[in-house]
Amino acid sequence: MSTNIGSSLFTLSESHEMLRKTCRDFADRELKPIAAKLDKTHEYPTDIVKKLGDLGLMCVEVDEELGGSGLDSLAYAIAMEEISRGCASCGVIMSVNNSLYLGPITKYGNKQQHEQFVKPFLNGERVGCFALSEPGNGSDAGAASTIVKEHNKTNYIMNGTKAWITNGYEAEATVVFATTDKSLKHKGISAFIVKKPTDGLSLGKKEDKLGIKASSTCNLIFEDCIVPKENLLGKQGDGFKIAMATLDSGRIGIAAQALGIAQAALECALDYARKREVFGKQLTQLQAIQMKLADMEVRLQSARLLTWKAASLKSQGESYTKFAAMAKLAASECATFNAHQAIQILGGMGYVSDMPAERHYRDARITEIYEGTSEIQRLVIAGNLIKEYSATNA
Amino acid sequence: MAIRILVGVKRAIDYAVKVQVKTDKSGVVTEGVKHSMNPFDEIAVEEAIRLKEKKVAQEVIALSCGPAQCQETLRTALALGADRAIHVEVTGKDYEMLQPLAISKLIAAVAKKENVDLVLLGKLAIDDDSNQTGQMVAGLLSWPQAVFASKVDIKDKTAEVMREIDGGSETLRVKLPAVITSDLRLNQPRFANLPSIQKAKKKPMAKMSPKDLGVDIKPHQEYLSYEEPPKRQGGGRVANVDELISKLKEKGLI
């Protein structure tokens, strides 16, 4: 895996630029034309996921020795933004497989687990998912109530329900977080890999969401589910740490997804504003519209710089938690802002499905919620900021 | 024996761009405008790579003539599967005045130098729509040509090529070495995948000048002016068939 990005924050290296172009061409040709249909039919884009796999986009940061694309975090962020600009649902399917599923297993898994749960999940034929949230706790991840107990010499037995699981329906394996001892609070949580389908694991109904409709979201219900002991991921009690580290990385992906939605919304608004004439002028000549476009662009470029900085810190092996949280916060709030303003600029046309603005509005909204709400991001940022300041100031 | 292929790729204004004529009518605006590989050249590259995958070809060399930015186009060809690239550098005014005959001479020189069995080109470039280069390369080399190819089969140093022609299609059999140009229906080009983009960085790219190839690229034509096509006029409505017929007669159309 390359730690030398060869790009400054301000210009991309040639290979990053080529990657960006490939992903953009793919998104323009294959995703943009079907995104509205996928949104209407809620259809999981099996063929598209395979094509993303063929391009190497379902395993961007996985080492080449394991069969992955072996690229850096910046490449991942660029790919995520371009794909999401075409179709936000495809973006989240890609993000969950990359960051939330392959991420922890490649980092904390052993050779056996790499063979069984990484290698078959690289080319888009199978996807994985990540089960942390529960009906009783999302932000309060340490309060996990899914219980795992020793069943016999070779197996655990798991009981509980996980909620809001993206790729829940299509995934053929999941990373699950469960506690062996609730009294230990977050220190009692361990991470496991559970194959799907498996006896004792059933799925809740597919959630009927406001946006990213082509990706499936559902509950995972564990009822006396047998989990082989060899499927423990990392060490017992390390689950919370693994989850937090995984989410740090996932936030770069989701930030990039939000950037893609924000960019698409801005382009939709610009395109319309150039063509629409009112009061004898094009919309782009009216100051009220110019103010909006300027605000959208500033927020977008700022969020993009934060995202690339977080990716660059990660690739250099440095601590990137604060920047990942900042990137996710800025990008998601930018996505909702841009989508909101895009509808406003389009007026009535922004409210109907003939134009993509309303779909961007609905797709954007979740980015402020999943993988850490905006409120949680602020806690993370403040916590890190205070710690950094206190470390160098008496 | 597996053949060796030379594929020409041109860096042209992207198909999606709204081209604007310069205010002094001396050309079109290219500064800051998005450029990409000529779409017909993408099809040519794809065909060359497929021939390599079928083990009909053993080596694919990508060639581009122009300024430094052509190297991006060549890197794309490498990322799609070409083995090495050759950049014939032509810059500034020389490049502005570079015309199909000069390019054909350059391609022919490289084809001879590299001793290839097949030259694959796009049938035309979407900026000038010349549709001359492939034909002239064949003429300069005294090689057979099969242009507007929609299907190519190569066996035993012979190419069977189905060509798109006005009346439908015709199939030609040409002995290699030959020149083939790609038409739209020849294939659907692939996207470069991430591992290939990475590998492309390490593939060799040679640079040379027209002088190195002994080619004089002086232009033989002077472009006098460029103009936009006439603006589309609105249509009109007619009340009934009789009026339609009289209007058509008026315009001298029937």
Side-chain angles (χ1 to χ4, degrees):
Chain A
M1 209 192 323
S2 164
T3 52
N4 174 17
I5 304 176
S7 296
S8 76
L9 274 183
F10 310 106
T11 50
L12 293 177
S13 73
E14 201 189 323
S15 47
H16 283 108
E17 190 55 57
M18 240 204 296
L19 165 66
R20 197 186 64 83
K21 188 173 180 307
T22 295
C23 293
R24 178 163 287 222
D25 285 345
F26 180 82
D28 282 340
R29 272 191 250 184
E30 303 267 350
L31 300 181
K32 248 195 188 172
I34 61 167
K37 184 174 85 109
L38 289 177
D39 175 67
K40 259 211 165 75
T41 60
H42 305 204
E43 186 192 329
Y44 179 82
T46 316
D47 288 337
I48 293 293
V49 174
K50 283 221 189 71
K51 287 186 181 164
L52 289 171
D54 287 337
L55 286 176
L57 293 176
M58 294 303 277
C59 57
V60 182
E61 292 178 89
V62 175
D63 274 335
E64 281 183 78
E65 296 102 63
L66 283 175
S69 299
L71 296 180
D72 60 18
S73 197
L74 179 59
Y76 175 54
I78 291 167
M80 272 298 305
E81 181 182 338
E82 294 301 333
I83 296 302
S84 303
R85 180 180 157 277
C87 171
S89 300
C90 297
V92 76
I93 294 168
M94 177 178 149
S95 178
V96 166
N97 198 61
N98 270 282
S99 295
L100 302 186
Y101 176 74
L102 290 173
I105 304 180
T106 49
K107 189 162 176 205
Y108 301 99
N110 56 39
K111 214 153 175 257
Q112 216 308 90
Q113 290 164 341
H114 288 175
E115 279 302 317
Q116 195 183 357
F117 294 110
V118 168
K119 286 190 177 170
F121 289 77
L122 301 172
N123 67 358
E125 268 177 30
R126 324 188 159 69
V127 295
C129 62
F130 175 89
L132 175 64
S133 290
E134 297 173 355
N137 49 272
S139 295
D140 192 4
S145 299
T146 303
I147 308 247
V148 76
K149 286 201 177 77
E150 227 190 68
H151 182 61
N152 56 35
K153 266 222 167 72
T154 47
N155 296 313
Y156 297 110
I157 187 165
M158 191 179 283
N159 276 282
T161 306
K162 292 296 185 183
W164 311 122
I165 309 308
T166 302
N167 290 353
Y169 258 69
E170 296 78 17
E172 292 191 33
T174 177
V175 174
V176 200
F177 296 86
T179 181
T180 47
D181 184 345
K182 270 212 91 159
S183 70
L184 293 175
K185 300 219 183 118
H186 65 273
K187 295 216 174 96
I189 300 175
S190 303
F192 303 86
I193 310 170
V194 178
K195 205 157 82 84
K196 275 177 83 243
T198 235
D199 282 335
L201 169 54
S202 59
L203 304 177
K205 72 174 197 325
K206 252 193 235 182
E207 303 291 353
D208 184 15
K209 307 189 294 290
L210 178 64
I212 51 165
K213 295 198 185 205
S215 84
S216 68
T217 308
C218 66
N219 285 4
L220 299 185
I221 303 159
F222 297 88
E223 290 167 300
D224 287 344
C225 180
I226 304 293
V227 178
K229 280 201 177 169
E230 68 216 21
N231 287 15
L232 172 68
L233 180 63
K235 292 208 298 284
Q236 199 163 4
D238 273 356
F240 189 78
K241 209 178 59 173
I242 292 174
M244 293 303 111
T246 302
L247 287 173
D248 272 351
S249 160
R251 280 161 195 172
I252 297 177
I254 293 302
Q257 181 203 24
L259 291 176
I261 299 171
Q263 182 70 38
L266 175 56
E267 285 172 13
C268 175
L270 274 165
D271 190 58
Y272 187 82
R274 276 186 330 144
K275 296 176 180 156
R276 173 76 169 171
E277 270 182 40
V278 300
F279 298 106
K281 295 197 169 101
Q282 286 164 343
L283 283 187
T284 43
Q285 295 173 289
L286 298 172
Q287 284 190 353
I289 302 300
Q290 291 172 354
M291 297 298 114
K292 290 181 193 298
L293 293 172
D295 286 342
M296 289 158 87
E297 173 74 343
V298 170
R299 287 170 196 235
L300 180 50
Q301 296 284 4
S302 311
R304 187 174 290 129
L305 283 173
L306 283 170
T307 307
W308 288 8
K309 169 109 186 170
S312 138
L313 287 169
K314 175 167 190 259
S315 289
Q316 280 157 23
E318 294 181 36
S319 166
Y320 65 98
T321 304
K322 189 182 74 166
F323 271 90
M326 288 165 72
K328 202 266 189 187
L329 176 64
S332 55
E333 291 190 345
C334 169
T336 47
F337 179 84
N338 281 17
H340 182 110
Q341 294 302 327
I343 291 187
Q344 199 66 14
I345 291 172
L346 267 61
M349 278 312 285
Y351 203 64
V352 296
S353 59
D354 303 56
M355 296 292 274
E358 59 85 26
R359 187 181 80 243
H360 298 324
Y361 186 76
R362 291 183 287 103
D363 285 342
R365 195 58 189 85
I366 189 63
T367 62
E368 287 195 51
I369 298 171
Y370 61 14
E371 283 195 49
T373 59
S374 297
E375 291 71 26
I376 290 291
Q377 304 304 337
R378 287 183 166 89
L379 292 181
V380 170
I381 295 165
N384 277 279
L385 180 64
I386 294 164
K387 201 164 69 184
E388 285 163 23
Y389 187 83
S390 308
T392 52
N393 292 275
Chain B
M1 250 289 286
I3 64 171
R4 293 170 60 249
I5 306 179
L6 180 66
V7 187
V9 296
K10 183 179 186 184
R11 180 177 177 266
I13 295 182
D14 188 82
Y15 76 92
V17 168
K18 250 172 96 177
V19 175
Q20 285 181 319
V21 176
K22 284 192 194 154
T23 38
D24 63 0
K25 299 198 174 186
S26 65
V28 298
V29 178
T30 53
E31 272 293 312
V33 165
K34 182 168 183 221
H35 284 65
S36 40
M37 188 189 292
N38 176 36
F40 291 105
D41 298 347
E42 286 180 339
I43 297 175
V45 171
E46 175 67 25
E47 197 62 21
I49 304 305
R50 288 189 188 187
L51 287 167
K52 205 175 120 184
E53 286 170 346
K54 281 195 268 216
K55 303 237 189 324
V56 171
Q58 57 171 291
E59 189 183 25
V60 175
I61 307 165
L63 166 67
S64 194
C65 307
Q69 295 97 314
C70 290
Q71 295 192 4
E72 286 166 29
T73 316
L74 284 168
R75 289 257 173 251
T76 307
L78 292 172
L80 290 165
D83 298 293
R84 57 188 170 92
I86 297 175
H87 172 212
V88 177
E89 193 167 32
V90 182
T91 56
K93 197 81 190 146
D94 284 339
Y95 182 62
E96 266 180 59
M97 298 304 294
L98 193 61
Q99 289 161 12
L101 179 56
I103 296 181
S104 306
K105 289 180 185 168
L106 291 169
I107 296 178
V110 174
K112 260 210 289 259
K113 183 169 183 285
E114 293 290 338
N115 199 16
V116 297
D117 305 289
L118 175 62
V119 173
L120 258 175
L121 305 170
K123 72 170 180 184
L124 54 81
I126 60 170
D127 48 12
D128 56 15
D129 266 7
S130 293
N131 183 7
Q132 300 171 7
T133 305
Q135 293 87 333
M136 287 197 283
V137 171
L140 289 165
L141 290 168
S142 289
W143 284 7
Q145 61 181 261
V147 297
F148 317 136
S150 59
K151 195 169 187 300
V152 172
D153 281 305
I154 297 186
K155 209 168 78 169
D156 299 328
K157 290 279 192 161
T158 306
E160 207 168 274
V161 181
M162 183 157 81
R163 310 175 52 227
E164 310 248 359
I165 58 173
D166 283 343
S169 62
E170 104 181 327
T171 305
L172 287 185
R173 196 176 297 131
V174 292
K175 272 219 255 307
L176 301 184
V179 176
I180 297 179
T181 71
S182 66
D183 209 324
L184 198 59
R185 272 177 278 272
L186 179 55
N187 59 48
Q188 175 80 278
R190 69 192 63 191
F191 290 99
N193 67 23
L194 269 54
S196 313
I197 293 177
Q198 282 295 85
K199 283 202 201 101
K201 281 198 287 198
K202 305 194 188 99
K203 292 184 182 172
M205 168 135 46
K207 200 162 83 167
M208 54 188 75
S209 69
K211 223 194 288 176
D212 295 331
L213 293 166
V215 172
D216 180 3
I217 56 167
K218 79 163 194 282
H220 293 264
Q221 292 166 339
E222 188 192 336
Y223 299 129
L224 298 175
S225 88
Y226 284 74
E227 304 208 0
E228 285 204 7
K231 285 236 178 302
R232 191 168 179 271
Q233 298 293 334
R237 294 190 94 96
V238 292
N240 50 45
V241 177
D242 288 328
E243 204 188 325
L244 173 64
I245 294 178
S246 69
K247 271 251 154 65
L248 288 173
K249 279 208 180 119
E250 233 177 85
K251 290 188 184 288
L253 293 170
I254 53 170

